Amino acid sequence: STVLMNGEFIPREEAKVDIEDRGYQFGDGIYEVIRVYNGKMFMAKEHLERLSASSEKIGIATSYSISELTILLEELIAKNSLSTGILYMQFTRGVSPRNHSYPETVAPAFVAYTKPLSRPLDNLENGVGTITVEDIRWSRCDIKSLNLLGNVMAKQKAAEAGCFESIQYRDLSVTEGSSSNIWIVNGGKIRTHEANQFILNGITRQKIIQLCEENGIEVEEKAFSIEDLIDADEVFLSSTTAEVTPITAVNNVPVKEGNIGEVTKKLQDLFVEAIVGECGQ
Ligand SMILES: Cc1ncc(COP(=O)(O)O)c(CN[C@@H]2CONC2=O)c1O
């Protein structure tokens, strides 16, 4: 397959990272995962706007404008004849002798590659199990940075418990999943943690809120407790790769409406309409 590296399209086997790349040594970089349906990126503009917000927050100049980046990424998708999958992209602060403070004059290092990935139809239909874990991450989770060790450790805990995702909490208040946002539904109203420094403001999260507003579904962006989570009528998670995935159990306790609640189902249908609307299939 073809990889895009610092503006060059190269074969995957030639894509190598320097041992003094700051992304490799410090996690000093930012990333995005963009879904591709029918050969087209879904919500590319929103993802690339978040990427530039992340780059501003950590002071990396991403060396491309959003329109230049869009053209390069579309070319990468075409070169790999990708129909349904994901596009992974990242910028690091660049290659420089190891020193914590920022190097003066190095260019950011940019990598993007695609991977086929079918839609998670089984999870969408049958839901997934979760566990709750304490959120041990830093207090700038709004930056989509390469500093993912806290997320990785939380995901590992879920895997060891035979679950799909960990639901993280701070002081008994649910924040988000290790790589997803978390939602509850009560009496037809949905609720999720407000977009602040303690969660990533997911692109899928933003689309769900927009769909709710357009379809008269009441949505509240306000943190909820572990107790609210356990007592909810419906629970679901959202992410670029998981779309709108029902949660059927938390710590092996079944969620009230079993496999999939009617609001979650409605949101899945609206989300598919949005995908078809933007990507044509
Ligand atoms: C910590 C965290 N929260 C929320 C989300 C959901 O955000 P999006 O709706 O924008 O995807 C992600 C997605 N992380 C990407 C998506 O898939 N794999 C990842 O690492 C994430 O890593």
Side-chain angles (χ1 to χ4, degrees):
S1 66
T2 299
V3 170
L4 175 59
M5 214 164 170
N6 301 320
E8 302 293 321
F9 292 101
I10 60 172
R12 169 68 183 85
E13 51 279 4
E14 290 172 20
K16 307 289 181 203
V17 172
D18 189 286
I19 60 170
E20 290 186 310
D21 185 309
R22 291 177 61 92
Y24 174 73
Q25 292 200 310
F26 297 107
D28 184 5
I30 52 174
Y31 81 104
E32 281 293 331
V33 176
I34 301 177
R35 253 284 185 192
V36 175
Y37 299 103
N38 191 29
K40 294 183 186 65
M41 289 183 281
F42 181 57
M43 300 188 75
K45 179 172 169 293
E46 291 81 356
H47 278 282
L48 296 179
E49 282 167 352
R50 183 174 63 185
L51 184 76
S52 59
S54 300
S55 71
E56 274 160 38
K57 287 174 181 176
I58 70 168
I60 292 183
T62 55
S63 55
Y64 298 104
S65 69
I66 287 183
S67 50
E68 285 164 345
L69 215 38
T70 305
I71 291 164
L72 281 169
L73 299 180
E74 284 169 350
E75 200 173 338
L76 178 67
I77 290 165
K79 284 180 182 298
N80 287 312
S81 323
L82 183 72
S83 176
T84 303
I86 53 167
L87 185 150
Y88 175 88
M89 61 189 297
Q90 68 166 51
F91 282 91
T92 76
R93 203 180 299 276
V95 176
S96 175
R98 189 174 184 282
N99 186 13
H100 284 62
S101 58
Y102 300 172
E104 294 291 318
T105 58
V106 291
F110 172 53
V111 170
Y113 63 84
T114 62
K115 197 177 84 171
L117 181 72
S118 50
R119 296 187 60 220
L121 298 178
D122 181 52
N123 287 350
L124 292 173
E125 189 171 338
N126 301 315
V128 295
T130 61
I131 56 167
T132 54
V133 299
E134 196 182 347
D135 193 337
I136 59 166
R137 298 173 300 162
W138 69 336
S139 62
R140 290 307 309 271
C141 297
D142 56 303
I143 303 170
K144 198 169 177 64
S145 91
L146 297 176
N147 263 268
L148 290 174
L149 189 54
N151 303 64
V152 160
M153 291 166 74
K155 185 72 93 180
Q156 176 60 18
K157 283 206 175 117
E160 285 167 6
C163 289
F164 179 77
E165 179 62 297
S166 282
I167 297 177
Q168 301 175 105
Y169 59 87
R170 281 177 197 271
D171 316 320
L172 296 184
S173 184
V174 170
T175 51
E176 61 178 343
S178 67
S179 67
S180 62
N181 291 113
I182 302 292
W183 310 71
I184 56 173
V185 184
N186 278 311
K189 180 167 122 178
I190 78 171
R191 190 165 156 188
T192 195
H193 193 289
E194 65 272 22
N196 65 8
Q197 71 201 87
F198 295 117
I199 69 161
L200 179 74
N201 187 3
I203 300 302
T204 317
R205 176 186 180 283
Q206 295 169 41
K207 175 57 79 177
I208 288 167
I209 290 170
Q210 176 204 333
L211 292 172
C212 285
E213 286 163 354
E214 290 170 353
N215 292 276
I217 300 171
E218 212 181 326
V219 54
E220 188 179 23
E221 295 181 71
K222 183 167 171 262
F224 52 85
S225 68
I226 292 278
E227 216 174 305
D228 296 329
L229 176 72
I230 303 294
D231 294 343
D233 292 341
E234 305 174 37
V235 185
F236 64 92
L237 62 86
S238 66
S239 83
T240 296
T241 46
E243 299 181 12
V244 178
T245 293
I247 289 172
T248 50
V250 179
N251 297 331
N252 283 324
V253 176
V255 170
K256 210 173 280 178
E257 296 199 4
N259 265 354
I260 170 162
E262 59 187 64
V263 174
T264 306
K265 180 77 183 90
K266 172 78 179 156
L267 283 170
Q268 284 184 332
D269 296 343
L270 291 170
F271 195 75
V272 170
E273 276 174 36
I275 294 170
V276 172
E278 188 168 330
C279 302
Q281 181 181 331

